[in-house]
Amino acid sequence: MFSSRLSRAQTLHARTYATASSRPPLSGLNALARPKAEQLSRDWKGTSATGENTKNFIGGEFVESKTAEWIDVVDPSTQTLLTRVPETTSAEFEQAADAASEAFKSWSKTSVLTRQRFALELQRLIRENADALATSIVLEQGKTVPDAHGDILRGLQVVEHAASAPSLLLGEKIEVSKDMDTEVRKLPLGVVSAIAPFNFPAMIPLWSIPMATVTGNTVILKPSERDPGAAMMIAELCQRAGLPPGVVNVVHGTVPTVNAICDHPAIRAISFVGGDRAGRHIYERGTKHGKRVQSNMGAKNHGILMPDANKNLALNSIVGAAFGAAGQRCMALSVAILVGDAQAWLPDLIKLASQLTVGGGFEKDTDLGPVISPAAKRRILGLIDSVEEEGGKIHLDGRHVKVQGYEHGNFIGPTIVESGTHMRSYQEEIFGPVLVVLRAETLDEGIQIINSNKYGNGTAIFTQSGATARKFEQDVNVGQIGINVPIPVPLPMFSWSGNKASALGDLGFYGKSAFEFYTLKKTTTSLWKAEDALTSKASVNMPTQR
Ligand code: NAD
């Protein structure tokens, strides 16, 4: 095992999702990954890739938890133990809530320009430290280095957008009658919380931290217990960017910590991103306690291939969007509907997918890395098995892929299956490198399939016809639509708009919606009669509004 420096007592108390007995034997980081892991552990206060515990970040301090329950964080391409995260104790959670409540008193009163400057400085620091953040993501999550940079960049764009707060927070005012004004102001809510999934360790924390803080709120973030490193580094960058203690806090854990967030009276809003089960639970429990909750959940995203499409663009787009990040994206195109003559393109689709390279995330040629855990791999393999059990066909079988030098990794090769819409492989979110192919005779039939699916995160059509694209856009009932664009995630000047079973809550993440989500509106109506004015001495100084 690679230099785990945990004490025996800590090891005895360690609790894992994938327990030691259910994991393949520990191997160790190779010469490519090891120096990067050592550097990371040396440079950052809250995280480790060499076996030390991950800290909580409370009131501006990186603190070691006193918990007896620890969760292993393991490199998915080798099963090497990188660090452990605590199941935060109730007392520690109270400290985080107190720190955030205390910090709110002054942070909510800072000028919007101070908060804007924080966003500007944070974006500079994230750019400067992008390589280190990417290293943490590759080690803990398994994605490739370029894909890890994409994860960071999509979060960074939200930080950049947050810097527009002074104009986006402008309120409304009108003189409703002579000398009487009504004014609407957008004020911070208080302490807010964010609960993140494993698949975007940097992007999802950055959907909430900049938007929540720039609007004057304070934050308690709970990252995924599987890959907390990037969130800890972002917390440290927030501190370096001058954020006062307690404005951003990070606590770790699983269901008990999530429930503490849902129940705590000081927390006014929760942003959740993750799977259906947790998302529905958090929405119900949080709203029951009077909190504003936004919940982004699972997906099954369909791409329609029309026979008039640019074949090369369409097939490459589908392969990239189905298998990139080993299919572990909520906007992955996991279903391809081949319409009419486009059905003849299936052999070319299979050939393209079969040319992708599976490997460790630091290896130069790797197109897709491992899935997050042995349990995830078992679940995905079970879903592939079910295709033949239910009468479908496996066209490209990645179940037995072997990756030299990474024999213990959770790898699955690109897999293409043909299913019916009643089959498990179509009905369930697979969240792995598996593309389900369906056939349709007409565009209407394709749209009918998509509209009958319970999810509504994203969809795409590949066609050269504007009229066909227009009809698709109008008739399909999915929230994010791509026309010759495989992953139509809106940039942060817009907001996330997944719908149906993919989202709960009315206000989307980031963009204009976030300014609504993180603020409370107050209207004031005032009457100041001009004829009552007293003459007073004028100030000759330049007003600065500070
Ligand atoms: P997950 O639901 O297992 O975990 C997400 C968070 O919820 C974690 O912080 C975890 O600790 C917590 N959690 C897990 N189970 C819980 C429970 N029973 N009760 C309370 N809290 C619980 O999700 P994941 O596996 O980390 O992420 C993958 C899922 O996230 C996929 O379904 C994917 O589609 C979804 N996702 C959606 C979006 C989107 O914007 N729609 C974006 C990214 C990921």
Side-chain angles (χ1 to χ4, degrees):
M1 190 176 96
F2 172 59
S3 76
S4 168
R5 282 180 240 148
L6 295 166
S7 70
R8 181 163 160 69
Q10 283 167 327
T11 310
L12 286 175
H13 280 131
R15 183 171 68 84
T16 59
Y17 267 166
T19 58
S21 60
S22 68
R23 273 208 318 261
L26 297 173
S27 54
L29 299 181
N30 64 17
L32 205 54
R34 182 184 296 235
K36 294 179 197 291
E38 288 169 346
Q39 180 81 40
L40 205 71
S41 301
R42 272 198 302 276
D43 290 351
W44 297 87
K45 295 181 194 161
T47 184
S48 168
T50 50
E52 285 101 355
N53 294 336
T54 291
K55 310 260 196 313
N56 279 332
F57 182 59
I58 298 175
E61 305 282 339
F62 289 92
V63 280
E64 176 96 12
S65 172
K66 296 196 167 49
T67 189
E69 290 193 66
W70 293 84
I71 302 138
D72 288 0
V73 177
V74 173
D75 164 21
S77 63
T78 63
Q79 312 302 337
T80 307
L81 179 72
L82 300 169
T83 181
R84 287 187 170 125
V85 290
E87 185 73 62
T88 297
T89 66
S90 310
E92 289 160 353
F93 188 80
E94 273 311 317
Q95 285 163 12
D98 287 350
S101 301
E102 192 54 36
F104 180 71
K105 292 178 190 160
S106 48
W107 182 248
S108 57
K109 301 281 185 294
T110 52
S111 91
V112 68
L113 298 182
T114 301
R115 291 182 248 141
Q116 180 193 39
R117 272 195 296 275
F118 157 67
L120 291 168
E121 185 59 7
L122 182 62
Q123 76 82 26
R124 187 186 69 77
L125 287 167
I126 291 174
R127 275 185 200 285
E128 210 171 272
N129 291 279
D131 287 343
L133 281 163
T135 293
S136 166
I137 294 171
V138 176
L139 282 167
E140 293 183 353
Q141 205 275 351
K143 60 179 76 174
T144 64
V145 175
D147 201 32
H149 277 280
D151 185 332
I152 298 159
L153 184 67
R154 290 312 295 249
L156 185 62
Q157 289 165 345
V158 180
V159 182
E160 289 167 343
H161 185 66
S164 322
S167 41
L168 289 165
L169 278 172
L170 284 177
E172 296 163 4
K173 187 170 182 175
I174 188 170
E175 189 172 334
V176 287
S177 66
K178 183 176 176 312
D179 294 338
M180 180 180 277
D181 300 323
T182 295
E183 179 186 10
V184 186
R185 285 182 298 153
K186 295 179 194 166
L187 300 169
L189 288 177
V191 181
V192 299
S193 192
I195 302 165
F198 80 84
N199 64 325
F200 282 103
M203 179 182 86
I204 306 278
L206 289 174
W207 278 6
S208 55
I209 290 175
M211 303 312 281
T213 53
V214 87
T215 45
N217 301 283
T218 57
V219 180
I220 300 177
L221 167 70
K222 194 209 81 66
S224 170
E225 63 278 15
R226 298 164 200 268
D227 46 21
M232 295 315 293
M233 294 162 77
I234 289 167
E236 193 172 334
L237 294 179
C238 287
Q239 189 178 50
R240 287 193 218 163
L243 209 59
V247 177
V248 166
N249 306 272
V250 187
V251 295
H252 301 283
T254 60
V255 179
T257 308
V258 169
N259 286 343
I261 290 171
C262 294
D263 298 349
H264 201 287
I267 294 174
R268 303 292 307 277
I270 305 174
S271 294
F272 169 82
V273 182
D276 294 353
R277 183 160 170 239
R280 281 197 298 267
H281 166 72
I282 291 164
Y283 188 83
E284 278 161 25
R285 193 158 173 155
T287 52
K288 202 175 105 200
H289 285 94
K291 300 181 201 315
R292 190 178 280 175
V293 183
Q294 54 182 187
S295 189
N296 267 11
M297 299 170 289
K300 198 86 179 173
N301 307 310
H302 302 65
I304 289 197
L305 259 89
M306 296 302 292
D308 71 338
N310 173 330
K311 184 178 167 189
N312 187 41
L313 170 83
L315 294 186
N316 276 306
S317 299
I318 290 201
V319 166
F323 302 114
Q328 299 172 113
R329 292 183 185 137
C330 63
M331 287 292 280
L333 268 189
S334 52
V335 183
I337 304 179
L338 311 184
V339 176
D341 292 346
Q343 292 172 23
W345 299 350
L346 183 56
D348 292 325
L349 186 67
I350 295 167
K351 188 168 168 217
L352 268 180
S354 69
Q355 288 163 353
L356 297 175
T357 304
V358 183
F362 290 117
E363 305 287 343
K364 266 206 177 63
D365 298 334
T366 296
D367 293 308
L368 57 144
V371 298
I372 189 69
S373 64
K377 179 171 172 174
R378 280 194 297 277
R379 189 183 57 77
I380 296 163
L381 294 182
L383 281 165
I384 302 173
D385 293 344
S386 76
V387 173
E388 281 177 339
E389 290 157 15
E390 293 184 316
K393 191 163 172 11
I394 300 176
H395 289 291
L396 178 65
D397 189 351
R399 284 177 292 184
H400 309 290
V401 72
K402 295 265 178 292
V403 182
Q404 209 188 350
Y406 295 90
E407 284 74 15
H408 301 302
N410 314 316
F411 295 99
I412 301 175
T415 297
I416 297 183
V417 303
E418 198 164 343
S419 307
T421 52
H422 61 286
M423 295 183 191
R424 277 183 62 207
S425 50
Y426 174 75
Q427 290 288 333
E428 293 180 27
E429 181 185 38
I430 299 179
F431 222 57
V434 182
L435 176 67
V436 174
V437 169
L438 301 175
R439 294 170 194 260
E441 290 316 313
T442 60
L443 173 64
D444 284 330
E445 201 188 317
I447 293 174
Q448 169 65 28
I449 292 171
I450 299 173
N451 288 351
S452 305
N453 192 281
K454 68 173 176 173
Y455 291 115
N457 223 27
T459 187
I461 189 165
F462 295 89
T463 177
Q464 300 274 50
S465 155
T468 301
R470 188 81 178 163
K471 178 178 167 58
F472 179 71
E473 185 193 358
Q474 281 182 354
D475 291 357
V476 81
N477 65 3
V478 169
Q480 302 178 109
I481 301 168
I483 294 169
N484 298 316
V485 173
I487 305 189
V489 172
L491 284 169
M493 61 291 265
F494 302 99
S495 301
W496 189 269
S497 54
N499 65 19
K500 297 199 280 180
S502 297
L504 282 168
D506 291 332
L507 295 170
F509 283 72
Y510 61 77
K512 287 182 192 137
S513 282
F515 286 91
E516 298 293 314
F517 184 79
Y518 286 121
T519 59
L520 185 77
K521 286 201 182 83
K522 255 192 186 175
T523 59
T524 307
T525 300
S526 49
L527 175 66
W528 295 108
K529 292 192 172 197
E531 59 263 35
D532 293 345
L534 299 174
T535 7
S536 58
K537 190 170 182 304
S539 166
V540 292
N541 297 335
M542 177 70 183
T544 59
Q545 321 299 350
R546 290 165 71 86

